[in-house]
Amino acid sequence: MATRKIVKIGDETLRKVCRKQEKFDLRLAILLKDMADTMYKAEGVGLAAPQVGILRRAVVVDVTEDHSGLKEMVNPEILETSGSQTGREGCLSVPERQGVVTRPMKVRVRYQDRHGKLWEAEAEGFEARAICHEVDHLNGVLYVDKMDRELTEEEIQGRIPEDEN
Ligand code: NI
C-alpha cells in the first residue's frame, strides 16, 4: 500500500483545470491504486488526482463502509443529471470543515477504466453527490465555492435538518 500526500485548500494545484488522461499505462494504474489507498486511509469517500498533486482527469469513489464499491473513473463526464439533494459535504483537502451543498439526486456518467475501456454508469444519492464533487475537482472547483452555508463546529459533530434529506 502506498499513500500520497493530500494537497490542502489554499494550494493553487486545486484550482487548475486538469488535462485529459491519454495514456493507459502502468503509471496510471499505480496512480489509481495510490489514490484509493490514500482515500481509504484518510477515511474519505472520494479523491481526485489533483488532490495528490497530479493534474490529470482521474478520480476514485467508494461510498461503501466495507470498501467494496470502488469506482476508478478516468476522464469522467457527467452526461445527464436529475432531481436534487441538499446535504452535508466535506473534502479531504478542506480538513475539519463541512458545508451544506445542493447536488443532483441522480447522475449518468461516462468514463474510462484503467485500461481505457469506456463505461457508462448511473449513480444516485450519496454516490451521485461524491461523483459530482470529484468531477468538480478536475475543473478546479471546490465544494466551498458552491455551498449554501458552512456548518459550525457544533453542527459538524451533531445533526442538522438537512441530514433528513
Ligand atoms: Ni474533495
Side-chain angles (χ1 to χ4, degrees), residues 46-48 51 89-94 133-134 137 141-143:
L47 194 74
Q51 292 183 275
E89 204 165 302
C91 176
L92 295 175
S93 293
V94 188
H133 176 118
E134 299 315 326
H137 272 298
V141 175
L142 300 176
Y143 84 83

Side-chain angles (χ1 to χ4, degrees), residues 33-100:
K33 176 69 168 66
D34 288 357
M35 284 169 59
D37 287 347
T38 304
M39 169 181 75
Y40 290 135
K41 188 182 171 213
E43 295 180 5
V45 295
L47 194 74
Q51 292 183 275
V52 292
I54 306 292
L55 294 174
R56 290 290 174 177
R57 303 189 79 83
V59 309
V60 292
V61 170
D62 187 349
V63 298
T64 66
E65 272 178 25
D66 61 359
H67 300 178
S68 63
L70 180 65
K71 283 192 171 79
E72 297 174 339
M73 299 179 161
V74 181
N75 302 321
E77 260 184 90
I78 292 172
L79 301 174
E80 215 183 304
T81 67
S82 62
S84 91
Q85 55 176 322
T86 297
R88 75 169 71 212
E89 204 165 302
C91 176
L92 295 175
S93 293
V94 188
E96 284 156 41
R97 292 171 62 186
Q98 285 183 6
V100 171

Side-chain angles (χ1 to χ4, degrees), residues 141-152:
V141 175
L142 300 176
Y143 84 83
V144 295
D145 304 339
K146 43 172 68 174
M147 64 184 170
D148 301 335
R149 66 186 180 92
E150 177 140 15
L151 299 191
T152 64

